[in-house]
Amino acid sequence: MADLMHNEEHYVVLEPGADEVFLTVAEMLAYLKTLIQRHPQALSPDVSRQPTLERQAQVLLDRDCELELEPGRSVQWYAVRLEK
């Protein structure tokens, strides 16, 4: 039987001054919601127009891989496949 954890999509998060972090899809969405709440000014107009925080996070996850929190400081995330 296949190990389902290794079939699930994961993300690696790269943040300046921090170690890389691997997150599941649910953890990544929660992380993005926290970033949005802390840095609402960082959102592009089309993302900020989304009706809910959940939708804003989902749009970022689906469409982008970077969020500039302030000039010269960005968070990046990339989908990765974890191997056994």
Side-chain angles (χ1 to χ4, degrees):
M1 183 172 172
D3 182 357
L4 294 179
M5 180 172 172
H6 295 285
N7 293 331
E8 187 175 322
E9 193 170 349
H10 289 78
Y11 290 85
V12 61
V13 177
L14 307 173
E15 195 169 343
D19 291 335
E20 62 186 27
V21 177
F22 291 90
L23 302 174
T24 65
V25 174
E27 292 168 333
M28 187 66 214
L29 286 168
Y31 176 79
L32 288 174
K33 286 190 251 182
T34 299
L35 281 181
I36 292 166
Q37 289 173 322
R38 290 182 182 162
H39 305 279
Q41 78 289 350
L43 297 179
S44 63
D46 59 318
V47 175
S48 65
R49 281 193 295 266
Q50 297 301 315
T52 64
L53 178 62
E54 289 76 19
R55 184 68 187 137
Q56 290 172 344
Q58 188 65 58
V59 169
L60 279 178
L61 187 64
D62 291 344
R63 194 191 70 190
D64 297 322
C65 63
E66 182 174 24
L67 185 63
E68 185 176 39
L69 305 177
E70 55 192 45
R73 183 169 168 250
S74 295
V75 173
Q76 298 175 333
W77 58 90
Y78 301 97
V80 293
R81 182 176 179 177
L82 300 180
E83 298 290 331
K84 286 186 178 181

